[in-house]
Amino acid sequence: MEPGTFAVEPEPWGPPWRRWEEIDPDDAAARGIYAPVHTLSEGPAGAIVVAPGDTRGTVLVPEKRGGACCGFAEGDGPNMACAACGLLVASRIDDCSLWQAAWLAPNAVRRRPVAGADVGLSSWADLLAEGAGVPPSEPIAQWGEPFGASDRWHWSPQWVAAAGQALAHLLVASEGRAVAVQDGLTATMFQPALDALLPAGPPTRHAVLAGPGRPARDTDADILLVPSHPQTGLAWTPPAPAHLVPLPFGVWLRLVHPERQPPVPASGPMPKYVLREDPPPPSVHDVFRIDWQVFRRTLARLPAVRTPWLREITERLT
């Protein structure tokens, strides 16, 4: 989560957890889960996630680390307490290999307006003008490397997670036919996985990028990769009906505009939008690997996963 932002999880979240073998499939379907998952939460719905640094007036409870090895996990339930009264109010997650976050318990906190806060909804035009894209790569140290010892860059975890969500929607939109995506970063993200999961050969469906200010240029495209609004989560809707595959706006923007503004001569203080090319941005040598946990979680919540051809794919996933 970016500082100053929050999101609400509509599903139950946190302990107690139940294994799939203990759950009636009809009960799971009533909750919007249509394929087997490892566990399901029996906790309260409506948990609020914020950046860990945005919490105030709380203290950590060290004995509730949740089985973590290097930090805190959510396995033992809330591990942050109100500094004034001691009530457990949130779960801090910062163990290795986990997304750092603070999950506020919905039955222990309430939302209050803040004077002077900007609560206006940005339009698509506003978002395009801001140009806040998410870079596809970033420097991430590998396990066991001393801090700052690696000069390698790796694929952004935000891109890896976004690809997992979008791949689930792409599979559903494929209807069991081969899918071809446009060249470039989009093909790097999706084409190897699509080729591995779907049968080869015609008839092939085509997936292209589309969105605000960018109509689908391929008239034969029957699947559109579109942005989702960063404030509402709702996908951009084209004038004509089509199979929509949502992508986070920041990732979609960098797919549409993969190159930053080129460097220009400048004197005096460095202007905000000047790109320094000394040294040039490092390249990523790793193969792009989709976040399969996000993929499985998204696919299990799409009703189409119950169709025979898609169920066969999910059963042979490794």
Side-chain angles (χ1 to χ4, degrees):
M1 301 300 298
E2 293 291 334
T5 67
F6 72 96
V8 179
E9 171 59 78
E11 294 186 20
W13 188 89
W17 302 90
R18 293 177 61 193
R19 297 182 64 86
W20 179 258
E21 294 78 10
E22 305 171 358
I23 301 170
D24 186 280
D26 292 334
D27 293 340
R31 290 179 50 175
I33 300 166
Y34 307 100
V37 294
H38 181 62
T39 56
L40 277 180
S41 169
E42 294 293 330
I48 304 165
V49 59
V50 299
D54 283 353
T55 56
R56 299 291 186 274
T58 59
V59 294
L60 291 169
V61 183
E63 57 268 24
K64 295 178 68 68
R65 293 180 53 223
C69 69
C70 301
F72 282 81
E74 75 280 16
D76 292 339
N79 53 34
M80 298 177 67
C82 171
C85 69
L87 176 70
L88 293 173
V89 294
S91 295
R92 169 71 180 266
I93 301 176
D94 59 8
D95 199 20
C96 57
S97 302
L98 299 179
W99 289 85
Q100 295 197 25
W103 287 86
L104 307 179
N107 54 0
V109 300
R110 63 179 182 270
R111 191 183 312 177
R112 296 287 297 272
V114 177
D118 181 12
V119 295
L121 189 64
S122 299
S123 67
W124 291 112
D126 295 335
L127 295 172
L128 289 173
E130 292 173 5
V134 176
S137 60
E138 57 185 83
I140 303 175
Q142 294 296 301
W143 178 256
E145 288 181 348
F147 180 75
S150 174
D151 58 355
R152 295 187 62 191
W153 282 39
H154 305 270
W155 294 107
S156 164
Q158 295 187 52
W159 278 62
V160 172
Q165 180 193 39
L167 179 62
H169 289 276
L170 273 171
L171 273 185
V172 171
S174 75
E175 298 179 349
R177 293 156 50 185
V179 173
V181 298
Q182 59 197 83
D183 294 335
L185 274 175
T186 312
T188 301
M189 290 178 71
F190 299 114
Q191 201 64 66
L194 291 171
D195 292 344
L197 295 174
L198 294 171
T204 301
R205 312 203 74 170
H206 296 272
V208 300
L209 293 164
R214 184 187 177 90
R217 300 173 182 174
D218 187 348
T219 56
D220 295 330
D222 27 32
I223 303 173
L224 301 182
L225 297 159
V226 300
S228 56
H229 198 283
Q231 291 172 297
T232 66
L234 299 177
W236 177 83
T237 304
H243 289 282
L244 302 183
V245 175
L247 284 167
F249 179 81
V251 174
W252 175 89
L253 189 63
R254 290 303 294 267
L255 286 172
V256 174
H257 303 291
E259 299 295 335
R260 290 185 176 181
Q261 181 178 344
V264 297
S267 61
M270 185 64 68
K272 180 180 180 181
Y273 297 107
V274 170
L275 174 65
R276 295 185 65 107
E277 288 290 333
D278 50 343
S283 58
V284 179
H285 303 289
D286 299 335
V287 174
F288 188 92
R289 299 188 183 277
I290 287 170
D291 189 320
W292 289 101
Q293 290 186 342
V294 175
F295 167 74
R296 288 177 180 272
R297 185 184 191 280
T298 304
L299 193 60
R301 286 155 176 79
L302 299 177
V305 73
R306 295 178 293 186
T307 57
W309 70 268
L310 194 48
R311 186 169 61 247
E312 180 182 351
I313 289 178
T314 60
E315 289 175 351
R316 57 184 169 87
L317 284 176
T318 60

